[in-house]
Amino acid sequence: MKRRNFIGAVAGTTVVAGLGNATRAGESATSNPPVMELRVALTTQDFERLASFYRAGLGMEPSQVWPADQGRALVLDMGRATLEVFDEKQAQTVDQTEVGKRVSGQIRFALRVADLDAAMKRLAAHGATVVHGPVVAPWGDKMARYQDPDGMQITVYQARDKA
């Protein structure tokens, strides 16, 4: 089974993503793509807490900090992005693999990391709640599930070595 990327969230969190026209399988990635970038916007009542969690918990520096005159915002460059659309049965399969039961909301993040053990320590040190400790998926990736301070579920995973 090939590696899958997972995305997820909870009530009270605003998620914004743009979708263009669907592309056909096999269409060149260099042709005029309908979507150039995926951005996810998390809205929180406690900006400092959540911004600090994502900066320090993921070990990232902001790529942009927007002026506070219309509200506070920071942008973290999360690398390559994909959007997966699951039916309920697929969501159940993913949760069963990662956690052992259906627990996630409508949206869930999945973040590929170079060192899962280091990422887990960093997340725990910055306020993440463990949903489920590390497991090895049938396709070979090692992963763990956390929850951010606002309740967003996050799967952190280290891809299987292809050696």
Side-chain angles (χ1 to χ4, degrees), residues 41-69:
L42 298 178
T43 302
T44 182
Q45 297 298 312
D46 191 341
F47 177 83
E48 265 316 310
R49 178 187 68 177
L50 204 60
S52 176
F53 172 80
Y54 280 98
R55 277 191 322 261
L58 294 175
M60 301 184 70
E61 291 298 320
S63 60
Q64 297 177 36
V65 178
W66 295 345
D69 60 331

Side-chain angles (χ1 to χ4, degrees), residues 3-4 135-143 157-160:
R3 188 198 86 221
R4 298 177 183 206
V135 298
V136 176
W139 51 92
D141 292 353
K142 186 176 177 185
M143 56 191 56
Y157 72 96
Q158 183 175 335
R160 167 182 62 145

Side-chain angles (χ1 to χ4, degrees), residues 25-48:
E27 194 171 305
S28 170
T30 59
S31 67
N32 189 16
V35 177
M36 300 298 294
E37 178 181 24
L38 169 68
R39 285 193 174 204
V40 177
L42 298 178
T43 302
T44 182
Q45 297 298 312
D46 191 341
F47 177 83
E48 265 316 310

Side-chain angles (χ1 to χ4, degrees), residues 6 12 26 35 49 67 72 106 119 121 130 145-146 150-151 163:
F6 307 109
V35 177
R49 178 187 68 177
R72 300 179 68 196
Q106 185 180 6
K121 288 176 187 171
V130 176
R145 180 82 63 90
Y146 286 85
D150 278 3

